[in-house]
Every structure is written in structure tokens, then in C-alpha cells.
Amino acid sequence: MEQDQLKRMVAEAARDEVLALPAGQVLGIGTGSTANWFIDLLAPHKEHFAGVVSSSVASTQRLLQHGFYVLDANAVTELPAYVDGADEVDPSGYMIKGGGGALTREKIIAALAQQFICICDQSKQVATLGKFPLPIEIIPLAQGSVMRAMQALGGNPCLRLIPGASNPFVTDNGGWIIDVAGLHIAKPAELETLINQIPGVITVGLFTQQKADVLLLGGPSGVKRIVYS
Ligand code: 5RP
């Protein structure tokens, strides 16, 4: 089965899961190709929710095209659930996110949610995080110092560029992204705290405080539902 079919399958499972929530609440929705499937599949049922909060300009545009009522994250104090993809998920539900560059807003909205429902195809499940280069959103002025700090931690940092161009990819927040390859992340929670303390770091794409509560994992034999404690 192709990866895109698996993404659609987990998005369907997530749609069914959120439609089982009591009606009239506000739902958090993430960013990326799996989240896009989720948005498209949820659209016919949008009236089940009072509105949605989105983690990127791209997702907001897609949601508005479907006629969802999109609220600012500041307008809510709590969400029953946040549904989003991931780049890697480990056996504890810790994740690497930010492949699409939306990590900061994703983390903010995930922190508002009672549960993070992660939707992934099986290629994202790993024993140890770090094969996928770790995204870090930074203040542009800190590019050099953050890259040196990541080299000192044994990583191979690279400034993310706009595909096919030589200028930096700029996030929805005006930040830049450094992708750090070569990290074998044995202690994700410690590394998240450490990197967050480097001056100029806006957000590191390690999600341990905001880990997955439920993982809907798509494989050839169907969707596996994993619940983390
Ligand atoms: C965006 C993300 C995405 O959730 C992650 O990159 C997975 O994307 P996709 O669903 O396209 O595989 O973190 O910042």
C-alpha cells in the first residue's frame, strides 16, 4: 500500500475518533500531508465542532476553504484534542515534528489540548528518535551560535532553505529552521530542555512534554491504535 493511502487511512480513523467526542467543542488541527487528509475528511462533519484552531497559515487556508470556523489560539483555554502528524514517534510517544516548519504553533496548540492524537503511517514509528533531522526554529540572528551549539552536541546542523532556492525558509512566525542530522536521541526529554535553553532558540521539534497520547498508525493490515500512559 502506498504511503499516501496509509495517511488517508489514519486520517479516517482520526475523523471517527474525534466525531465520538461530545459535539460543540473546539478542535485543534495540525499541519502536513496527513493533517491535510484529516481536514478534507472532517470537512463534511465540520458542524460537529464549534470551531477549530489551526497550527499554520497553510492549514488555516485549507480549513477556511472548507468553511470551518477557525479561531485564534488565544480565544480558547482548552481543547479536547489536537490531531496532527509527526516525522518520528518512539515507543514512549515522544515525537520529532517540524518537517513542515510549523513546530512552534504545533507545540503551542498541543499544549492546550487534553489529548494529542498523532496520525502517522508506519514509516514514522522508530525505536530511537534522530534519524529524521531534528528541526529547530530560531531567531535568524542566532543562526551561527545555535549551529555551533548543535555541532558541540554531535549533530550536523543545516539551515533549511526554500526548496530550489538559496534563501532561508521563513516560518509563519518569521523564524528560520535549522535541521540537525546525525543525532541519536537516547534521552529526548533532557535534550528538549537543553536545546530550549540555547539563546535564540524559539522551539525545538522534540515533543516530549507535548507527546502523543494516542497514536493511530497505518500499515498494510490496517490502523493500529496505541495509547501511551
Ligand atoms: C509539520 C509537522 C508534520 O506533522 C510532520 O512533518 C509530518 O508531516 P506529513 O504528515 O506530511 O508526513 O510536524 O511541521
Side-chain angles (χ1 to χ4, degrees):
M1 207 181 285
E2 287 193 14
Q3 194 182 28
D4 203 45
Q5 281 176 279
L6 298 177
K7 290 183 179 191
R8 185 196 164 111
M9 220 162 65
V10 292
E12 279 170 352
R15 174 203 57 200
D16 296 346
E17 181 131 354
V18 299
L19 288 176
L21 293 168
Q25 302 189 86
V26 177
L27 182 70
I29 299 187
T31 300
S33 54
T34 321
N36 282 345
W37 271 119
F38 176 70
I39 292 170
D40 295 349
L41 290 163
L42 190 64
H45 311 276
K46 58 179 178 286
E47 306 305 338
H48 187 81
F49 296 95
V52 293
V53 172
S54 149
S55 70
S56 65
V57 171
S59 286
T60 296
Q61 281 169 353
R62 198 175 191 99
L63 287 158
L64 290 174
Q65 276 163 12
H66 279 300
F68 281 89
Y69 177 52
V70 183
L71 291 94
D72 189 277
N74 287 310
V76 298
T77 51
E78 200 176 67
L79 302 166
Y82 174 64
V83 179
D84 198 1
D87 299 301
E88 283 186 349
V89 190
D90 82 359
S92 300
Y94 296 157
M95 298 172 282
I96 286 184
K97 289 185 48 56
L103 59 162
T104 297
R105 295 187 188 201
E106 289 171 345
K107 209 177 261 194
I108 292 168
I109 299 170
L112 289 168
Q114 284 167 13
Q115 55 168 337
F116 190 131
I117 301 172
C118 181
I119 49 176
C120 287
D121 67 86
Q122 62 180 12
S123 69
K124 310 289 185 69
Q125 196 179 38
V126 298
T128 307
L129 300 174
K131 193 165 176 208
F132 188 91
L134 178 65
I136 305 174
E137 183 171 357
I138 59 152
I139 299 287
L141 183 71
Q143 182 203 339
S145 54
V146 174
M147 284 177 82
R148 285 191 295 278
M150 294 316 298
Q151 277 164 345
L153 288 172
N156 180 16
C158 187
L159 180 66
R160 189 180 298 183
L161 302 178
I162 293 170
S166 55
N167 30 347
F169 171 90
V170 179
T171 71
D172 289 347
N173 314 306
W176 288 358
I177 303 263
I178 292 173
D179 293 303
V180 188
L183 293 172
H184 179 80
I185 305 176
K187 294 183 176 171
E190 283 88 336
L191 190 63
E192 180 176 11
T193 303
L194 185 72
I195 296 176
N196 273 336
Q197 287 167 351
I198 300 171
V201 167
I202 299 172
T203 303
V204 57
L206 276 168
F207 282 55
T208 68
Q209 296 289 320
Q210 277 73 45
K211 73 179 185 68
D213 296 295
V214 174
L215 172 63
L216 299 173
L217 191 71
S221 55
V223 176
K224 207 156 97 180
R225 186 176 189 275
I226 299 166
V227 180
Y228 301 100
S229 53

